[in-house]
Amino acid sequence: MSRSPERERHASGAPGDDAQPAAAGVPPLPTSAYDYTLPPGLVARYPAARRDESRLLVVDRARGTVGHHIFRDLPDFIPAGDALVLNETRVFPARLVGKRAGGGEAEVFLLRPVGQGAPGREPAGGTRAGGREGRTRAAPVSDEAEAAGHATHAPQAEGAARLPSSTPALLPSSAEAQPLWTALVRPGSRLKPGRTVEIGEDLTVHIVDSEPDGTRIVRLETPLPLDVALERYGRVPLPPYIDREPEPADLERYQTVYAREQGSVAAPTAGLHFTPAVLRSLDERGVELARLVLHVGVGTFRPVEVEDPAAHRMHSEWYRVPAQAAASLNAVRERGGRIWAVGTTVTRTLETAADAAGRLHAGEGWTDIFIRPPYRFRAVDRLITNFHLPRSTLLMLVSAFAGRELVLRAYEEAVKAGYRFYSYGDAMLVL
């Protein structure tokens, strides 16, 4: 086996293992410090013809350099014995379009069932935590739970709220279940409590209540199993910047090839570039693959609208770190290996589940962790990510990992080289 560029760099004694920005003595930056100019033509409206033909911008923190590759080159960078962490969440068809009682068109964008930590409400069984950088105090997992492959306690953290281990299913299959959901609606002025939206002959949305943040509590009425009704009538919830209606190909391309558990209203986009061939190559090279779940919420589309990032409110997202994944990743670290996070969703989950010493704890819960400079990472050593919107929490997270100046310089290089941006765009690897 040939030595990877990553292994070569560390074999030569170059620094890099702790190339995170130091948390001490770095003043917080305003939101405007994370702005950049992007030509509209570089926003990707369609994915690459093949997932692994996306371009890959490689940013080396230790050397301050930027290199240009293709995503299928990724296995060449990851040494045997390191671990790659995937988010197995699956996007569900959350966008419902129908008619109001008066005949006008209406849209209902489902966020999550009520009781699963709807925005503006406390997650069931827990209290909301502030959207701070987070210092996790993970509750111990019983030996019986470790053996069974699940946790009985969720990690407790600033930025992570506790949830009972019996998390309700996202899409109940029973036709008798008529669950309440938190949703965004349009036009909001016409969809007050008591109104209905006819989505199809066997699916009606009833507006039940209004929330202070502008969302609605809605009830879905259907004789069908709910998952069947949503598959029949729901549309792929493409991000607004893609600026087109979903097409049949989006049903496949706006999912990762390893998506398993439904619950997201947006794809974990760093994972969209992986193919079975890339995953197989990683496995054959001795890279461990670990899997967890974080269900991506609508907050991923929202920019930070206040100049002080500390005043920005993060919405909670549900996550699970299986016992098997936590044990595997801890073992990799103990052997001197590194953890590679596929995307910001994996990064936020791992940083929520890690204690101050960097040890990961199995569990599930809600996290609203807001990672921004200055922040010292405990669980993530390398990052694979897409290019993010200006003034976004995701760009702040990447800046905390690689340093804001280097990230913005890399973005400038990507713009000059014609990289494609955002969900269906190209990827960036931070070493």
Side-chain angles (χ1 to χ4, degrees):
M1 181 187 304
S2 62
R3 302 174 81 181
S4 72
E6 175 77 351
R7 183 67 79 201
E8 288 285 354
R9 181 161 65 87
H10 288 282
S12 67
D17 289 58
D18 297 305
Q20 284 95 302
V26 181
L29 295 169
T31 299
S32 57
Y34 302 94
D35 212 345
Y36 67 92
T37 300
L38 180 69
L42 295 184
V43 176
R45 300 179 67 241
Y46 290 90
R50 280 182 50 86
R51 292 175 185 265
D52 59 5
E53 288 179 351
S54 298
R55 299 170 74 182
L56 179 67
L57 190 75
V58 178
V59 179
D60 190 315
R61 293 175 292 172
R63 295 173 175 165
T65 58
V66 174
H68 303 277
H69 296 265
I70 302 298
F71 194 83
R72 62 173 173 265
D73 299 335
L74 177 68
D76 294 335
F77 289 91
I78 308 181
D82 282 8
L84 185 80
V85 188
L86 309 171
N87 181 3
E88 290 190 312
T89 190
R90 186 172 184 85
V91 179
F92 73 99
R95 186 169 167 241
L96 302 173
V97 177
K99 297 291 184 181
R100 307 192 312 271
E105 186 174 281
E107 181 175 332
V108 178
F109 192 106
L110 301 176
L111 300 179
R112 58 183 132 190
V114 170
Q116 293 195 21
R121 298 183 170 211
E122 291 184 357
T127 57
R128 288 188 58 84
R132 290 166 287 189
E133 290 84 15
R135 281 290 180 264
T136 302
R137 301 183 306 279
V141 179
S142 69
D143 293 338
E144 293 81 2
E146 288 281 1
H150 64 275
T152 56
H153 297 89
Q156 302 176 55
E158 296 179 14
R162 287 196 59 180
L163 183 77
S165 59
S166 55
T167 307
L170 177 76
L171 301 179
S173 60
S174 168
E176 289 74 28
Q178 307 294 344
L180 297 176
W181 287 68
T182 300
L184 300 171
V185 299
R186 188 171 59 181
S189 60
R190 301 294 182 91
L191 294 176
K192 305 295 185 183
R195 305 288 176 87
T196 61
V197 180
E198 297 293 330
I199 305 299
E201 61 181 15
D202 42 21
L203 178 59
T204 300
V205 178
H206 298 267
I207 311 299
V208 175
D209 199 1
S210 296
E211 293 288 83
D213 63 358
T215 59
R216 301 288 191 272
I217 303 300
V218 304
R219 178 169 59 87
L220 307 184
E221 181 181 356
T222 177
L224 303 172
L226 186 54
D227 55 347
V228 173
L230 292 181
E231 289 292 338
R232 178 175 298 180
Y233 295 110
R235 303 185 185 185
V236 177
L238 293 178
Y241 45 74
I242 286 182
D243 194 28
R244 63 173 174 83
E245 286 297 309
E247 299 176 8
D250 294 311
L251 290 170
E252 174 194 358
R253 295 304 302 274
Y254 198 59
Q255 300 280 12
T256 64
V257 297
Y258 48 80
R260 183 184 58 82
E261 183 171 326
Q262 288 204 96
S264 285
V265 299
T269 56
L272 296 179
H273 309 285
F274 284 85
T275 62
V278 170
L279 293 171
R280 186 166 53 251
S281 176
L282 289 165
D283 182 61
E284 291 171 350
R285 290 166 182 250
V287 176
E288 293 201 27
L289 300 179
R291 293 168 170 83
L292 49 74
V293 172
L294 180 137
H295 291 322
V296 186
V298 74
T300 192
F301 300 143
R302 292 175 173 165
V304 178
E305 296 178 342
V306 291
E307 188 62 5
D308 180 5
H312 175 73
R313 181 189 176 202
M314 293 286 287
H315 284 237
S316 296
E317 294 170 311
W318 187 84
Y319 73 93
R320 181 196 303 117
V321 177
Q324 181 179 359
S328 173
L329 295 173
N330 287 333
V332 166
R333 275 285 187 81
E334 289 168 3
R335 295 194 303 265
R338 301 177 189 85
I339 295 176
W340 299 61
V342 178
T344 58
T345 63
V346 169
T347 301
R348 295 178 66 241
T349 303
L350 293 177
E351 291 299 314
T352 295
D355 61 27
R359 185 170 182 81
L360 290 160
H361 296 265
E364 61 187 32
W366 296 91
T367 182
D368 57 2
I369 187 171
F370 184 1
I371 297 175
R372 61 190 187 274
Y375 180 87
R376 182 172 293 281
F377 287 80
R378 302 187 297 274
V380 176
D381 302 302
R382 303 290 183 264
L383 174 63
I384 302 160
T385 187
N386 274 24
F387 294 94
H388 302 294
L389 278 72
R391 304 173 68 95
S392 64
T393 61
L394 305 183
L395 181 56
M396 293 180 188
L397 182 152
V398 178
S399 296
F401 191 78
R404 184 186 67 93
E405 292 184 1
L406 179 58
V407 168
L408 292 182
R409 179 158 58 85
Y411 272 47
E412 183 179 1
E413 176 73 16
V415 168
K416 290 178 180 177
Y419 277 66
R420 303 165 73 243
F421 277 59
Y422 305 160
S423 296
Y424 271 154
D426 295 313
M428 184 167 76
L429 169 61
V430 184
L431 298 177

